[in-house]
Amino acid sequence: MNELSATSCACGAVTVKISGEPRTTMLCACKDCQKATGTGHSALALFSDDHIEIEGETKSFSVTADSGATVDRKFCPNCGTPIFGISGRVPMHKLLPVSMLGEDAQNYQPRAMIFNRSHYDWDIVDPELPKFEKYKEK
């Protein structure tokens, strides 16, 4: 995905333009992602800030994640669509829900699941996917 790809929130008030490839893709089963998605995990793509353009107003709230890192979650104030997150662990990057990749989302398979320690058995994922109890060690 080297060309610019664009997508928007459910109501169209916030648009996201993406160029280049993500640094990584992952599933996260931490308790905070479960609350944010209403399911057993989130599907995320980590992009460098210079590969993302956000247009439109967002609202945010910050949480302290299971790891102790601060995560700032941005969402559309009109429809509530999650737009991106910023983790204190990864400066100069944004965590985009894979759904924000629009039609290109199908091209991005997760490379691992983090925070597998809080993953629910009913939330079925590929058994071959590498799993880490917390953050993947570098």
Side-chain angles (χ1 to χ4, degrees):
M1 183 170 93
N2 292 325
E3 59 193 53
L4 197 63
S5 176
T7 187
S8 68
C9 62
C11 72
V14 181
T15 59
V16 177
K17 294 178 183 172
I18 304 160
S19 63
E21 296 293 323
R23 180 172 160 187
T24 192
T25 55
M26 70 195 91
L27 302 180
C28 180
C30 78
K31 295 292 186 185
D32 184 57
C33 281
Q34 291 170 354
K35 288 178 185 176
T37 63
T39 190
H41 67 270
S42 61
L44 302 165
L46 180 68
F47 282 90
S48 171
D49 283 350
D50 58 351
H51 291 280
I52 300 173
E53 295 175 32
I54 311 285
E55 293 182 11
E57 178 188 352
T58 59
K59 288 205 143 202
S60 67
F61 68 97
S62 294
V63 296
T64 301
D66 289 347
S67 67
T70 299
V71 176
D72 190 30
R73 293 184 178 273
K74 305 282 188 175
F75 59 94
C76 174
N78 296 319
C79 65
T81 299
I83 306 296
F84 66 91
I86 301 171
S87 171
R89 282 183 48 97
V90 195
M92 309 299 292
H93 287 77
K94 289 183 175 50
L95 288 159
L96 270 70
V98 172
S99 62
M100 290 305 294
L101 300 175
E103 294 300 317
D104 291 324
Q106 186 164 317
N107 299 323
Y108 293 97
Q109 297 293 318
R111 297 181 186 156
M113 174 180 275
I114 60 173
F115 289 96
N116 190 60
R117 67 185 184 203
S118 50
H119 182 245
Y120 295 110
D121 291 339
W122 54 258
D123 182 35
I124 299 170
V125 298
D126 182 352
E128 300 299 315
L129 187 67
K131 296 173 180 70
F132 299 90
E133 294 303 297
K134 51 183 186 170
Y135 279 110
K136 179 180 173 183
E137 296 301 321
K138 295 179 183 182

